[in-house]
Amino acid sequence: MPAFAPVDEQLEYISKGTAEIIRLPELRERLERSRATGKPMRVYAGFDPTAPDLHLGHTVLLRKLKHFQDLGHTAIFLIGDFTAMIGDPTGRNVTRPPLTEEEITRNAGTYLDQVYRILNPEQTEVRRNSEWFSRFSAADFIRLSAKYTVSQMLEREDFHKRFQEEKPISMHELLYPLAQGYDSFMLECDAQLGGTDQKFNLMVSRDIQRAYGAALPEIVVTTPLLEGMDGVQKMSKSYGNYIGIAEAPREMFGRIMSISDDLMWRYWELLTDISMKGIEAMRREASEGANPMLFKKGLAQRIITDFHDEAAARQALDDWEKQFQRHEAPDDVELVEVPYSEVRAKGDSEADLVRLDKLIARAGLAPSASEGARLLTQNAVRMDGEVKKDPIVAWQVGRDCVVKVGRRMKRVRVV
RNA sequence: GCACAGGUGGGUGAGCGGUUAAAACCGACAGACUGUAAAUCUGUUGCCCUUCAGGGCUACGGAGGUUCGAAUCCUCCCCUGUGCACCA
């Protein structure tokens, strides 16, 4: 284990891309202590085993965890398998069906596969909170609840708001932060990471640790919530504005290119290791006339390199330029076969006639045939580059051609 | 348990017996313009059948009912909130 870097250096590295560090002086102390004793800090972040598809938004936090690892500290990846059974902490949804043991194990597995694209497995301690909670008795839970008061709970903005608006707040939601705090206590961690939306819960953790007699409460590090592709709401699967880390390079490239210029700087900050200075420099260049698209291409390549490799990033760039800047069809458009019987147009012509609206629905280029018909009237459909308006088109069975609907395209063969 | 207020399309939210596939706004999608950016303008925005035309079927928490006709009225049920009661 190499010696720890000077504390100031560590602090700078940790600070980039965080929203808030509660208590910075305490963090400094701990870093100093770990440097003196040679003992790494224990840094923890908790995860719900219910979201197996990670997206870039999740990686902001994971990257921060990785930064601690880079500095030689221990990252604790806590799977909230027990708390997942309690249910949804946001209260938006009705209680989800409890996950079975196998489901949790499977989810955790796919989770880790993805997480290890960022974290160093060697320096990661994977834990589950069922370790302690499965042995927690009802009495223990009541004792835990006794550590906190209702008015303390209502300080949380979300609860406060819902309380005022006469919206439901379930009891189990109040237990959630407590359980999370107990996790911190059991893990004996020095710091906990979470998104800014978790700040309240993280602060509760400090209180719980104290209440259970921990010598020092953990340091809280919050990371900003990354905006999704819309640039407004946080990236989330339910808003459909996410870029998944398991997506194919080309897909990823396209999505990154479609974010707004403003948002791009945010992505540079939270998703790359380029220093703020470097980002400012690019920004200045752009404001002085450089085409921001060039920087966006650079961003896309960097991110793709992180999750795939450099060659893939290079290829994605080439493909993108070919397809969108030179308007050429890429050579490996996805091929879909569509049975003739499902798209045949009724007619007495001797040629094979196909209903285009149905065809694009069947090929997955539109959600329904009705929608397909609408797209047709909007000049959104092209066959081999040629705009089609008429839903009936001659199409010999066995032949394939590139069908483009808006931005999406597929090679379709009628069989 | 009782009373009151609510439950409408992806979201917010109108409608309160027919002209309502359901206003408006947002979002989403498409077209123009571009750098697959933003902004702007235009159009579309339940499903299915039908080569424009036209037709059919679902939809306003759930189930029944009243009506020629219900998202709109009645009954019961479910869910949410508030107040009261009960319990402590």
Side-chain angles (χ1 to χ4, degrees):
Chain A
M1 173 84 50
F4 293 103
V7 169
D8 283 327
E9 251 173 60
Q10 293 196 53
L11 279 176
E12 193 189 327
Y13 194 57
I14 292 169
S15 304
K16 189 211 164 191
T18 59
E20 202 173 2
I21 296 177
I22 296 163
R23 312 275 181 192
L24 194 57
E26 290 176 18
L27 175 59
R28 175 180 289 278
E29 263 169 52
R30 301 229 181 181
L31 289 170
E32 270 160 7
R33 197 182 61 188
S34 87
R35 199 155 182 261
T37 61
K39 258 184 76 181
M41 274 180 64
R42 293 168 62 73
V43 184
Y44 128 76
F47 301 86
D48 234 14
T50 47
D53 283 326
L54 293 197
H55 56 62
L56 293 182
H58 296 115
T59 70
V60 175
L61 179 64
L62 291 169
R63 288 172 53 82
K64 189 44 67 190
L65 212 45
K66 171 71 159 58
H67 291 159
F68 277 97
Q69 292 187 328
D70 292 342
L71 296 169
H73 301 292
T74 304
I76 304 170
F77 184 89
L78 179 75
I79 299 166
D81 60 343
F82 185 84
T83 29
M85 295 183 341
I86 299 182
D88 185 76
T90 67
R92 283 197 75 88
N93 307 319
V94 201
T95 322
R96 349 175 145 107
L99 297 171
T100 65
E101 183 65 29
E102 295 101 84
E103 280 172 323
I104 289 175
T105 307
R106 184 156 28 83
N107 286 352
T110 54
Y111 218 128
L112 281 174
D113 285 345
Q114 299 176 72
V115 163
Y116 285 150
R117 290 169 180 238
I118 297 167
L119 292 182
N120 174 357
E122 305 288 304
Q123 286 171 280
T124 305
E125 182 178 318
V126 179
R127 304 287 290 272
R128 293 172 165 219
N129 63 2
S130 58
E131 276 177 48
W132 40 91
F133 279 127
S134 60
R135 291 195 301 272
F136 223 56
S137 69
D140 288 329
F141 240 108
I142 290 167
R143 260 177 239 126
L144 172 59
S145 319
K147 308 280 188 203
Y148 229 68
T149 70
V150 170
S151 45
Q152 278 178 303
M153 276 298 170
L154 286 177
E155 277 172 34
R156 178 164 140 176
E157 200 190 345
D158 170 55
F159 290 151
H160 186 71
K161 221 171 109 189
R162 280 198 274 155
F163 186 68
Q164 296 232 301
E165 289 173 0
E166 307 187 343
K167 296 223 170 95
I169 301 175
S170 299
M171 287 302 293
H172 77 274
E173 297 181 63
L174 304 179
L175 296 176
Y176 216 90
L178 298 180
Q180 194 175 330
Y182 193 75
D183 289 340
S184 292
F185 171 67
M186 291 306 284
L187 289 168
E188 296 176 46
C189 59
D190 298 296
Q192 182 175 185
L193 262 58
T196 48
D197 58 337
Q198 291 294 309
K199 183 176 169 187
F200 177 85
N201 291 355
L202 302 182
M203 297 308 282
V204 173
S205 289
R206 280 170 67 91
D207 293 335
I208 297 297
Q209 281 181 304
R210 283 203 201 91
Y212 276 91
L216 289 167
E218 66 190 11
I219 289 131
V220 164
V221 178
T222 58
T223 52
L225 300 181
L226 184 72
E227 291 79 3
M229 293 189 297
D230 54 29
V232 181
Q233 278 177 301
K234 69 168 180 180
M235 186 175 286
S236 140
K237 206 190 293 182
S238 45
Y239 295 139
N241 60 359
Y242 67 100
I243 303 176
I245 69 168
E247 282 176 28
R250 172 186 294 171
E251 189 69 19
M252 228 185 231
F253 202 99
R255 286 177 190 260
I256 293 167
M257 290 308 288
S258 75
I259 66 172
S260 77
D261 291 353
D262 288 339
L263 189 59
M264 155 169 80
W265 304 115
R266 185 92 166 139
Y267 279 33
W268 272 107
E269 181 183 342
L270 297 177
L271 299 175
T272 74
D273 282 329
I274 304 299
S275 69
M276 287 313 288
K277 231 176 264 167
I279 296 171
E280 283 312 318
M282 285 188 279
R283 211 170 174 160
R284 204 168 317 114
E285 271 186 67
S287 68
E288 282 163 8
N291 189 339
M293 184 183 56
L294 298 176
F295 297 118
K296 212 183 280 176
K297 282 181 180 173
L299 174 70
Q301 285 204 82
R302 235 164 227 288
I303 293 174
I304 290 162
T305 304
D306 280 347
F307 296 108
H308 298 89
D309 56 53
E310 221 163 305
R314 179 78 230 166
Q315 184 63 47
L317 171 69
D318 287 347
D319 289 345
W320 186 84
E321 288 180 341
K322 182 176 182 193
Q323 184 175 349
F324 294 109
Q325 299 201 290
R326 299 199 296 274
H327 298 290
E328 296 165 24
D331 13 71
D332 58 335
V333 191
E334 187 193 344
L335 176 75
V336 216
E337 298 197 331
V338 174
Y340 180 56
S341 58
E342 292 184 29
V343 296
R344 173 175 37 200
K346 294 218 181 98
D348 47 10
S349 164
E350 62 295 334
D352 295 335
L353 292 180
V354 155
R355 284 279 299 265
L356 256 189
D357 52 352
K358 286 185 186 174
L359 180 129
I360 61 185
R362 273 296 304 174
L365 290 161
S368 68
S370 304
E371 179 68 20
R374 274 177 226 125
L375 287 163
L376 235 16
T377 67
Q378 294 175 71
N379 292 341
V381 181
R382 286 164 187 270
M383 265 176 69
D384 283 334
E386 192 187 330
V387 177
K388 292 288 175 192
K389 295 207 73 149
D390 196 327
I392 304 292
V393 92
W395 190 321
Q396 205 182 334
V397 171
R399 184 176 66 123
D400 58 59
C401 97
V402 174
V403 178
K404 194 174 169 213
V405 177
R407 298 169 166 183
R408 282 148 288 134
M409 67 168 73
K410 284 187 179 172
R411 179 172 291 281
V412 182
R413 176 178 302 156
V414 173
V415 293

